[in-house]
Amino acid sequence: MAEFIKIYEENPNPKEINRVVQTLRKGGLVIYPTDTVYGLGCDITNSRALEKLARIKGIKLAKANWSFLCADLSNLSDYVRQIDTATFKILKRALPGPYTFILPGNNNLPKDFKKKKTVGIRVPDNSIALALVKALGHPIVSTSIRDDDDVLEYTTDPELIYEKWGNLVDVVIDGGYGGNVGSTIIDLSEGHPEVVREGKGSLDIL
């Protein structure tokens, strides 16, 4: 059964953050809060963990379209081809925030993502998620956890999440109630913004 760890967003306890990061480094799967819905993720460099994540989601790893959760925009050049000034200005305006931006991938993507033409980048406005990525030292691959109940598309109560996912993952972080509206997804891979899904993030940033 997964560990259930309480972490407060106002002031995430570094000891608890490091406990979770050790689990990520060992190839564990972690459920954590973001500024939208709770996310499920693993270390971007751990193939075994990525395979496990794909299995849980019922998809082939090669077909997975997951986001890279970054601490800030400084990681961008590690995974994304050079972007123009207009695109960078949109990112600066929007992040950290409830957006996923689809950007053109470069040749340095981790081996499990080498064939990807584009990558989804997230910098959530949530201090627990950001602390995890900073302590890990590179992005977390992230996907949302959906609820079977169509009315509440996403599960928001950490205790219910633990009940449902505790046998499938290694850590569930209780960071308080989550939201039930996903991020706004904007495709910037072709240079001009294209809204793929309107979610929590306002389109005024465009």
Side-chain angles (χ1 to χ4, degrees), residues 111-142:
K111 63 178 188 300
D112 295 293
F113 300 96
K114 279 286 183 219
K115 293 184 175 156
K116 293 279 176 206
K117 297 272 189 289
T118 59
V119 293
I121 298 289
R122 270 283 268 128
V123 183
D125 189 10
N126 178 285
S127 54
I128 297 169
L130 295 180
L132 288 175
V133 179
K134 279 178 190 149
L136 184 62
H138 47 254
I140 293 171
V141 167
S142 181

Side-chain angles (χ1 to χ4, degrees), residues 69-145:
L69 210 71
C70 301
D72 52 42
L73 292 176
S74 64
N75 286 118
L76 224 51
S77 55
D78 296 346
Y79 307 105
V80 171
R81 281 210 311 271
Q82 193 155 9
I83 51 178
D84 60 31
T85 311
T87 300
F88 190 72
K89 279 184 175 165
I90 292 173
L91 297 177
K92 284 287 278 185
R93 269 200 299 277
L95 301 173
Y99 298 90
T100 301
F101 287 103
I102 298 169
L103 296 162
N106 66 19
N107 297 328
N108 302 327
L109 286 170
K111 63 178 188 300
D112 295 293
F113 300 96
K114 279 286 183 219
K115 293 184 175 156
K116 293 279 176 206
K117 297 272 189 289
T118 59
V119 293
I121 298 289
R122 270 283 268 128
V123 183
D125 189 10
N126 178 285
S127 54
I128 297 169
L130 295 180
L132 288 175
V133 179
K134 279 178 190 149
L136 184 62
H138 47 254
I140 293 171
V141 167
S142 181
T143 177
S144 316
I145 57 168

Side-chain angles (χ1 to χ4, degrees), residues 1-205:
M1 200 66 179
E3 280 190 274
F4 191 56
I5 302 176
K6 175 79 183 167
I7 302 180
Y8 294 94
E9 200 203 334
E10 294 71 47
N11 200 7
N13 182 328
K15 201 164 133 232
E16 304 294 15
I17 292 291
N18 283 326
R19 248 174 89 192
V20 179
V21 166
Q22 290 313 316
T23 300
L24 286 166
R25 289 208 171 108
K26 288 179 195 149
L29 301 187
V30 173
I31 290 176
Y32 50 88
T34 73
D35 52 353
T36 55
V37 300
Y38 266 80
L40 165 62
C42 66
D43 183 334
I44 195 172
T45 63
N46 193 306
S47 296
R48 210 177 71 243
L50 291 164
E51 288 286 359
K52 206 159 119 193
L53 190 58
R55 223 170 25 250
I56 284 178
K57 296 293 278 187
I59 50 175
K60 284 194 161 53
L61 182 51
K63 295 258 189 317
N65 285 318
W66 296 325
S67 309
F68 292 5
L69 210 71
C70 301
D72 52 42
L73 292 176
S74 64
N75 286 118
L76 224 51
S77 55
D78 296 346
Y79 307 105
V80 171
R81 281 210 311 271
Q82 193 155 9
I83 51 178
D84 60 31
T85 311
T87 300
F88 190 72
K89 279 184 175 165
I90 292 173
L91 297 177
K92 284 287 278 185
R93 269 200 299 277
L95 301 173
Y99 298 90
T100 301
F101 287 103
I102 298 169
L103 296 162
N106 66 19
N107 297 328
N108 302 327
L109 286 170
K111 63 178 188 300
D112 295 293
F113 300 96
K114 279 286 183 219
K115 293 184 175 156
K116 293 279 176 206
K117 297 272 189 289
T118 59
V119 293
I121 298 289
R122 270 283 268 128
V123 183
D125 189 10
N126 178 285
S127 54
I128 297 169
L130 295 180
L132 288 175
V133 179
K134 279 178 190 149
L136 184 62
H138 47 254
I140 293 171
V141 167
S142 181
T143 177
S144 316
I145 57 168
R146 288 174 183 271
D147 202 318
D148 299 330
D149 178 350
D150 290 337
V151 182
L152 251 187
E153 194 178 347
Y154 297 95
T155 311
T156 60
D157 182 338
E159 290 189 9
L160 294 178
I161 292 170
Y162 180 69
E163 270 176 40
K164 184 175 170 185
W165 292 82
N167 289 321
L168 295 168
V169 302
D170 301 281
V171 172
V172 175
I173 295 175
D174 174 0
Y177 272 83
N180 65 345
V181 180
S183 62
T184 292
I185 303 174
I186 299 171
D187 189 341
L188 293 172
S189 62
E190 299 292 330
H192 56 274
E194 189 181 317
V195 179
V196 178
R197 177 184 79 190
E198 200 169 338
K200 189 176 173 187
S202 159
L203 298 178
D204 293 350
I205 52 124

